[in-house]
């Protein structure tokens, strides 16, 4: 006969955890709680469905962000005064920040003026698309799908390649990029493929993926916190106390997302300036 297994009494902690693990899925089904998924970023079209002109909520958010950005800039330009208002102060501060602290500091005062418009447009566009993730009624970042980040990254890609070719010629640019000076020739066997991947592939890819990934992560965290709050409020009374920390966590992440939205716009435009600077510099 097989030896009988000795009964191991369950510990209180194990009993509590197993009870919660059993209750949560059942309660979730009853209350309609749904965890955030990637499907949130692919809403169904509500205009021109089945055509190449399909228009969904994500595209609507991007249009609203673009229109709002243009309106803000037009108003700031038309109502500009010698003694600026608060709104004009904010816009001018950001414009000077991109021009001085990004373009001139990284590229240099003599060459930066050619790229100030590019860097400023990219910075404000990314900031506007990012910030829609915390605006009630929109609730998703326009840059959370890879298409928009790829378009911006390709814009930077073309600009820094074109700047390098104009500055050094095609042969000079390829030589400076793929065969850095001061390196023993036998090391080019290893170094040149790495430089090729970095300059021509990894730079645009990392620009796009970094921006998208941060916006996706922020949206998922926000939805999870506020969905959990709603779930706890409508669930059994013993679990309603968890609504307070989940709600506070949602507000904290909202504030953090404002910081991340600005930070990602800053990182993107700084890297764009660095790539342009490296392309046009005499030495790499």
């Amino acid at each position: 006969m097989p030896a009988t297994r000795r009964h191991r009494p369950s510990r209180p902690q194990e009993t509590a955890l197993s009870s919660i693990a059993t209750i949560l899925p059942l309660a979730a089904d009853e209350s309609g709680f749904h965890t955030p998924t990637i499907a949130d970023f692919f809403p169904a079209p509500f205009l021109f469905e089945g055509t190449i002109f399909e228009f969904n909520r994500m595209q609507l958010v991007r249009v609203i962000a673009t229109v709002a950005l243009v309106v803000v800039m037009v108003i700031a330009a038309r109502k500009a005064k010698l003694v600026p208002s608060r709104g004009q102060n904010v816009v001018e501060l950001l414009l000077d920040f991109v021009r001085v602290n990004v373009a001139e500091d990284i590229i240099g005062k003599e060459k930066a003026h050619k790229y100030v418009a590019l860097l400023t447009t990219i910075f404000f566009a990314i900031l506007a698309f990012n910030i829609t993730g915390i605006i009630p009624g929109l609730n998703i970042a326009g840059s959370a799908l890879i298409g928009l980040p790829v378009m911006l990254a390709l814009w930077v890609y073309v600009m820094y390649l074109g700047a390098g070719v104009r500055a050094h010629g095609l042969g000079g640019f390829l030589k400076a990029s793929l065969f850095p000076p001061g390196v023993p020739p036998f090391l080019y066997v290893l170094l040149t493929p790495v430089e090729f991947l970095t300059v021509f592939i990894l730079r645009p890819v990392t620009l796009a993926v970094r921006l998208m990934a941060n916006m996706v992560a922020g949206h998922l965290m926000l939805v999870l916190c506020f969905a959990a709050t709603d779930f706890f409020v409508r669930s059994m009374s013993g679990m309603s106390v968890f609504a307070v920390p989940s709600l506070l966590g949602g507000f904290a992440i909202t504030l953090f997302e404002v910081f991340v939205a600005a930070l990602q716009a800053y990182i993107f435009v700084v890297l764009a300036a660095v790539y342009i600077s490296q392309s046009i510099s005499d030495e790499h």
Side-chain angles (χ1 to χ4, degrees):
M1 293 180 61
T4 58
R5 296 181 179 177
R6 297 179 60 185
H7 177 70
R8 181 173 62 87
S10 60
R11 291 179 293 179
Q13 296 90 338
E14 294 177 348
T15 304
L17 289 174
S18 62
S19 299
I20 293 176
T22 304
I23 292 173
L24 280 177
L26 296 176
D29 290 337
E30 294 175 358
S31 64
F33 174 68
H34 298 286
T35 57
T37 67
I38 299 300
D40 295 346
F41 302 97
F42 299 94
F46 57 86
L47 288 176
F48 314 119
E49 185 174 0
T51 71
I52 61 173
F53 302 105
E54 281 189 352
F55 196 81
N56 58 31
R57 178 170 166 265
M58 177 66 79
Q59 292 163 328
L60 177 63
V61 167
R62 291 172 175 173
V63 170
I64 292 173
T66 303
V67 172
L69 178 60
V70 171
V71 169
V72 168
M73 290 301 179
V74 170
I75 292 175
R78 288 185 175 180
K79 296 187 176 181
K81 300 177 181 178
L82 185 61
V83 180
S85 62
R86 290 183 180 179
Q88 184 181 339
N89 260 329
V90 173
V91 173
E92 290 181 353
L93 180 65
L94 292 174
L95 288 171
D96 286 340
F97 173 76
V98 177
R99 178 177 60 84
V100 177
N101 298 94
V102 177
E104 292 183 358
D105 285 355
I106 296 176
I107 301 175
K109 289 186 177 181
E110 296 181 356
K111 302 176 181 178
H113 66 278
K114 297 180 180 179
Y115 309 102
V116 169
L118 164 72
L119 298 175
T120 302
T121 302
I122 289 176
F123 176 80
F124 279 95
I126 293 177
L127 182 61
F129 290 130
N130 287 355
I131 210 69
T132 57
I134 62 163
I135 296 179
L138 301 181
N139 301 114
I140 195 165
S143 52
L145 276 183
I146 194 63
L148 180 62
V150 164
M151 183 187 70
L152 294 172
L154 288 177
W155 188 12
V156 173
Y157 181 71
V158 171
M159 287 299 295
Y160 79 73
L161 290 183
V165 172
R166 285 194 302 270
H168 306 290
L170 179 59
F173 174 69
L174 292 176
K175 180 180 178 181
S177 299
L178 303 179
F179 302 95
V183 177
F186 68 89
L187 287 180
Y188 287 140
V189 177
L190 298 176
L191 188 58
T192 298
V194 173
E195 291 295 322
F196 177 84
L197 288 173
T198 300
V199 174
F200 296 99
I201 298 177
L202 294 182
R203 284 180 180 178
V205 169
T206 54
L207 276 177
V209 172
R210 182 188 297 107
L211 175 58
M212 181 204 69
N214 278 277
M215 294 303 103
V216 168
H219 175 80
L220 294 179
M221 289 191 296
L222 282 174
V223 173
L224 183 60
C225 284
F226 290 120
T229 301
D230 178 70
F231 163 64
F232 288 132
V233 167
R234 295 190 291 118
S235 64
M236 59 195 72
S237 58
M239 298 182 65
S240 60
V241 295
F242 294 107
V244 175
S246 64
L247 181 62
L248 293 177
F251 283 124
I253 293 175
T254 299
L255 295 177
F256 182 67
E257 277 302 291
V258 175
F259 170 73
V260 171
L263 179 64
Q264 289 305 313
Y266 172 71
I267 291 175
F268 197 103
V269 78
V270 164
L271 289 176
V274 169
Y275 298 157
I276 292 172
S277 176
Q278 290 178 345
S279 293
I280 64 178
S281 63
D282 296 329
E283 294 183 1
H284 290 262

